[in-house]
Amino acid sequence: MKKWMKKYGVLVAVIFAIFLVLSGRRGFFAGRPEENKEGETAAGQDISPDEGVSYGIEIPYEYKADINETNRIDAVVDAPDTVRKEGFRMASARIADVPEASVLALLEEDYHPYAGEEYDAARQYLGEDEMYLFFSKEYSEFTMFCRTADYIGTAYRYRPTEDCNKERYALDAELPDFPLADCDRRIEELFRAYGVDGGLRVVHSTLEHETMAQEALELHADGTWEKPDYTWSAADDNYHCRVWQMCNGVPVLHGYMLQTYMNILEEGCHILKLNRDRFLEMSITEVYKISYGQEWEQLLRFEEVLERYGQFTEAAEENYAIEITEIGLRVTSVDEGGGTYRMAPIWIFYGTKTYESEGVVMPFAMMIDAVTGDELWEM
């Protein structure tokens, strides 16, 4: 263990620092669709609209248009048919407490966790396979990783950097002896410990050991990249899972994620890695207990949202060209005070912006309130 800590101690420190930074990123806002129970209120009442009344809006599945010579849309539109048909039921939420005892029990057989250092911002637990577990003291979130997950991290690089290789791995492809359904049941078990039953979207990147062996690169202290000293086997096959809670059939994003550099439509609120035997990595942010009211949001027509998008981008008068490739309906949490959050529907326009004079291409995203039409954030 001392040898490993000498080699990876800096990495552990960096990951813990990232955990602390993420814990501080809070502002005004705090794959594969699964069957869920979002057609019910917290009391189990039917939430379908009154007979003969529809709050749904027409939303295309694809949209293509030229706003102007330097602002083009050629996008897939991600929105559930329930919103197209019925609309968006008003919803509120409270943040669930982290079930620390249940998490420790879930990890007991594989890692035998024991208490480690006590920090101002987090409680630490350690365990077998160099397992590290951090429970935030300030926010309802926790992070867990192990040595095996670190090696997998050298082979799967999904961040939007020059060495990104996520395209080398299939989405939602089943591993031998580890069906996707078994993976999802274990994820659902974790969320049930929060008191949340169903209402999840899970997208799986299937990480096979043969591909990881080819892709793995480790940065050494002298600045060189080399293959890690690790023997890959079928036991390392795993799913990298991006998980969203759902509200009215729409994926929920935490408000601070609106400022992310990642593709916000693809970045899950919760990240998990699982092989057939155990959890390898867990990054769980706030989990919401969602309840529904008796009224429906007055959503802007899709054409009105597009008009607002055009107005906002033209008013910016920036010297770059925009190409939108994805438009998605999402839900974000708005802090109403007293521990209550309003679940607000928003539209996200995602693509690229190109500074043609410099030849620089960067991610672009604009978020628009689906009810008021206000611009919330632009990246």
Side-chain angles (χ1 to χ4, degrees), residues 147-251:
R147 179 169 58 175
T148 301
D150 286 337
Y151 281 118
I152 292 170
T154 69
Y156 178 59
R157 300 177 291 277
Y158 65 96
R159 302 292 182 183
T161 55
E162 291 183 358
D163 63 345
C164 177
N165 66 351
K166 65 179 182 180
E167 302 301 328
R168 293 276 286 129
Y169 300 91
L171 290 178
D172 297 324
E174 292 211 345
L175 291 167
D177 303 320
F178 188 20
L180 290 170
D182 289 352
C183 173
D184 290 351
R185 277 194 291 270
R186 287 157 61 182
I187 293 173
E188 290 165 1
E189 179 185 358
L190 172 62
F191 278 83
R192 277 196 297 273
Y194 280 89
V196 174
D197 192 5
L200 301 176
R201 173 185 285 186
V202 183
V203 176
H204 318 75
S205 293
T206 305
L207 312 186
E208 296 181 304
H209 67 280
E210 295 94 341
T211 305
M212 289 191 289
Q214 296 169 9
E215 293 291 316
L217 287 173
E218 187 176 56
L219 180 62
H220 288 265
D222 61 1
T224 60
W225 292 89
E226 296 181 9
K227 291 288 185 182
D229 183 16
Y230 186 74
T231 301
W232 299 89
S233 71
D236 297 311
D237 290 348
N238 70 96
Y239 297 117
H240 174 95
C241 301
R242 290 169 282 152
V243 183
W244 296 260
Q245 284 187 263
M246 305 290 275
C247 175
N248 283 286
V250 180

Side-chain angles (χ1 to χ4, degrees), residues 30-48:
R32 181 175 81 152
E34 299 294 328
E35 293 296 325
N36 59 70
K37 297 183 179 180
E38 291 171 318
E40 300 181 351
T41 63
Q45 298 170 322
D46 186 2
I47 67 166
S48 298

Side-chain angles (χ1 to χ4, degrees), residues 245-266:
Q245 284 187 263
M246 305 290 275
C247 175
N248 283 286
V250 180
V252 175
L253 298 177
H254 297 305
Y256 63 85
M257 294 180 67
L258 302 188
Q259 304 175 36
T260 181
Y261 183 74
M262 297 286 290
N263 183 342
I264 190 171
L265 294 174
E266 295 184 2

